[in-house]
Amino acid sequence: MSGGGLLVAGTTSDAGKSVVTAGICRWLVRQGVKVAPFKAQNMSLNSFVTREGAEIGRAQAMQAQACRVEPTALMNPVLLKPGGERSSQVVLMGRPVGEMSARGYHGGRQERLLGTVLDCLERLRGTYDAVICEGAGSPAEINLRRTDIVNMGIARNAGLPVLVVGDIDRGGVFASFFGTVALLSPEDQALVAGFLVNKFRGDVSLLEPGLDMLHGLTGRRTYGVLPFRHGLGIDEEDGLRVSLRGTVRESRVAAPVGEDVLRVAVCAVPLMSNFTDVDALAAEPGVVVRFVDRPEELADADLVVVPGTRGTVRALEWLRERGLADALRRRAAEGRPVLGICGGFQVLGEHIEDDVESRRGQVEGLGILPVRVRFAREKTLTRPSGEALGEPVEGYEIHHGVAEVLGGEAFLDGCRVGQTWGTHWHGSQESDAFRRAFLREVARAAGRRFVPAPDTSFAALREEQLDRLGDLIEQHADTDALWRLIESGAPTGLPFIPPGAPA
């Protein structure tokens, strides 16, 4: 017998679907329910590697953590990784299967993936008591409904009730709720059970007349009003705005343990991927993280991070155009700390041979590290572990570039020359003892009297974050009604709201 299910949709992108999904998952698991997350199709440059070596969206990995289960490819069968304005790498069941334009994907490929997506969902529902699914964008994208496999397409095929989340902080939430339902076909509308208001500030009693009117207009109730809380973002989809509003960076501002703070500047390269790597740095009391795009912004930085990117050669050109390439070379020559991660590591090398990602052939790197990179068609997807700076460290690798290290001091899978460090490992800073050892080295090289806190646990902060999301659902949503939805599906007899979807 299949377990229960729910699709969390949104009136817009960034309405809070990922956060609400994680919150519902954490609330359920605390009630003893065996639950799993699911997102049929994710578009993101923030990805993660499962233990079996599959690449999935980081949001689903975090939602799996909210469920206290290991993430698997079943939880995110289709991942699209943008490589420019018009094309993306398609990752199917954790493995890349090629590049495709948006027109090509929506023109037929997406529909053909519906069977795979439904099979993954059914397998999860056969294993878990409940599966909480996350939609993408808005379910009322009428131009894409025919090929949809992530919103009403999956809800219709799997018989899932739909909860629509709206961000009231943006304004216009009532119109967004009503308009979302009114642009769906009668068959789709029959699955839209109701609404959830997100990011409300103020006195809920002032909102209640509007919720009553919305119920009168649509025949659908509101299942909860979640208050605005700082620092509740998890590893969501793309956008620097999302990251800066994210998990740890807004959670608290703690005074440094030592006499100085440590300033970290992250180069905001194009197609930046896994910029969540710096969240663990920002978790340390006294570490200030900011994203930069001008060379003068590196002047007072104690550490500069060149993060991962889906476009290594494009990022290299951007660094040169902005004057950041010369600034990085000067820093390295002066012995001031620089950390390159994945694509950021590759640009610091001597040269890049790329016939895969950019197809530009031989390209000169910044020449800061003695490394040569050749792009392979096969993507490296691993979960390495080891020791560095005398401490245990774990990470994950997602890259086509194969690095040949020709010198320097060994550092993870890369190297170190002076105070310039390079590695393909994402997530290494989440290893607490290693992170503290690394920050001590940076502080010493920068001449800062900064001392890492002895007890910061990044994993504990993540758990605290997920519990706060669970608390939001438990305290501000009608959980009895939510469980009835998950267990029994959408209420019968929901009214049709004209005009419905265009013919």
Side-chain angles (χ1 to χ4, degrees):
M1 181 178 174
S2 293
L6 175 70
L7 176 70
V8 178
T11 56
T12 61
S13 295
D14 200 27
K17 296 183 293 291
S18 296
V19 164
V20 168
T21 301
I24 293 174
C25 287
R26 178 48 62 102
W27 160 64
L28 284 171
V29 82
R30 293 194 311 207
Q31 309 309 306
V33 177
K34 189 180 178 187
V35 59
F38 180 77
K39 184 160 186 172
Q41 172 196 295
N42 198 345
M43 177 174 278
S44 181
L45 288 172
N46 289 331
S47 58
F48 183 75
V49 179
T50 67
R51 294 213 177 274
E52 70 267 29
E55 185 179 9
I56 66 171
R58 272 195 70 101
Q60 280 61 65
M62 285 294 295
Q63 289 161 357
Q65 186 178 342
C67 297
R68 298 186 178 132
V69 298
E70 273 292 321
T72 73
L74 292 174
M75 297 170 183
N76 179 208
V78 182
L79 173 64
L80 305 178
K81 302 192 73 175
E85 294 295 324
R86 294 171 182 253
S87 68
S88 294
Q89 183 181 67
V90 181
V91 179
L92 179 62
M93 295 303 294
R95 295 286 171 181
V97 294
E99 296 280 334
M100 188 166 286
S101 69
R103 180 180 292 275
Y105 184 69
H106 290 287
R109 179 63 182 267
Q110 188 177 27
E111 277 183 292
R112 293 195 295 273
L113 293 174
L114 180 61
T116 300
V117 161
L118 289 171
D119 178 63
C120 290
L121 176 57
E122 192 54 36
R123 287 168 66 185
L124 288 174
R125 293 180 78 179
T127 305
Y128 291 90
D129 301 329
V131 179
I132 308 304
C133 308
E134 180 187 341
S138 162
E141 305 289 357
I142 54 179
N143 56 316
L144 302 177
R145 175 61 185 92
R146 183 180 62 82
T147 58
D148 171 48
I149 65 170
V150 66
N151 290 308
M152 300 313 299
I154 192 126
R156 280 270 292 280
N157 278 279
L160 294 172
V162 179
L163 183 70
V164 180
V165 178
D167 179 357
I168 197 169
D169 197 48
R170 293 180 170 191
V173 76
F174 292 117
S176 297
F177 281 145
F178 183 89
T180 296
V181 178
L183 280 176
L184 300 178
S185 68
E187 296 82 2
D188 286 351
Q189 286 193 25
L191 294 172
V192 178
F195 313 107
L196 187 76
V197 176
N198 192 28
K199 302 181 194 173
F200 179 72
R201 305 173 192 250
D203 185 346
V204 176
S205 66
L206 298 176
L207 186 67
E208 286 169 350
L211 300 179
D212 291 339
M213 285 185 271
L214 181 67
H215 184 271
L217 288 165
T218 67
R220 290 158 175 85
R221 57 165 298 178
T222 298
Y223 284 77
V225 178
L226 307 186
F228 186 96
R229 293 285 187 269
H230 280 287
L232 286 183
I234 62 170
D235 296 348
E236 299 177 77
E237 297 180 0
D238 289 327
L240 184 56
R241 175 170 49 85
V242 169
S243 179
L244 290 175
R245 200 200 63 242
T247 306
V248 183
R249 261 161 274 158
E250 283 191 2
S251 61
R252 61 176 181 172
V253 178
V257 175
E259 296 178 44
D260 287 343
V261 298
L262 208 62
R263 296 173 177 84
V264 178
V266 184
C267 296
V269 297
L271 297 173
M272 185 165 43
S273 61
N274 287 68
F275 46 79
T276 47
D277 281 336
V278 300
D279 282 340
L281 295 176
E284 285 287 345
V287 174
V288 180
V289 175
R290 68 182 189 273
F291 287 80
V292 303
D293 60 6
R294 297 194 301 250
E296 55 269 26
E297 294 177 295
L298 305 188
D300 67 342
D302 303 307
L303 170 67
V304 172
V305 177
V306 189
T309 172
R310 172 84 165 85
T312 300
V313 170
R314 182 175 167 188
L316 189 54
E317 292 171 343
W318 181 87
L319 289 168
R320 287 182 168 127
E321 290 165 3
R322 295 279 177 145
L324 286 160
D326 289 337
L328 287 168
R329 287 196 193 93
R330 285 195 299 272
R331 281 189 69 91
E334 293 164 2
R336 303 178 66 200
V338 175
L339 171 63
I341 303 172
C342 201
F345 165 42
Q346 294 166 7
V347 304
L348 298 177
E350 294 174 358
H351 74 253
I352 296 165
E353 184 182 337
D354 180 12
D355 295 318
V356 175
E357 193 175 77
S358 69
R359 298 180 176 85
R360 294 281 295 276
Q362 291 272 1
V363 178
E364 291 302 309
L366 298 186
I368 298 173
L369 291 176
V371 173
R372 294 175 184 170
V373 175
R374 178 184 55 81
F375 274 67
R377 297 201 175 275
E378 187 72 20
K379 182 184 278 191
T380 297
L381 295 167
T382 62
R383 290 274 292 270
S385 61
E387 185 177 293
L389 304 179
E391 301 291 352
V393 57
E394 297 180 352
Y396 57 99
E397 295 185 50
I398 306 170
H399 55 92
H400 284 279
V402 178
E404 181 186 5
V405 179
L406 303 172
E409 180 184 341
F411 175 64
L412 303 177
D413 72 324
C415 67
R416 170 190 182 180
V417 173
Q419 292 301 324
T420 300
W421 319 62
T423 177
H424 276 127
W425 289 26
H426 294 290
S428 65
Q429 299 295 331
E430 295 179 22
S431 297
D432 297 324
F434 167 76
R435 181 182 65 252
R436 288 192 277 270
F438 177 72
L439 290 176
R440 281 193 290 270
E441 288 261 356
V442 168
R444 186 160 48 245
R448 295 286 185 190
R449 288 171 293 186
F450 169 85
V451 178
D455 56 355
T456 301
S457 166
F458 187 72
L461 285 173
R462 287 291 205 199
E463 277 297 302
E464 179 185 311
Q465 187 95 2
L466 293 168
D467 276 330
R468 290 173 68 201
L469 294 178
D471 292 344
L472 268 188
I473 298 299
E474 190 168 328
Q475 296 166 12
H476 300 282
D478 185 339
T479 52
D480 288 341
L482 271 181
W483 178 246
R484 285 195 297 273
L485 269 188
I486 293 166
E487 196 174 35
S488 305
T492 57
L494 293 169
F496 170 71
I497 308 302

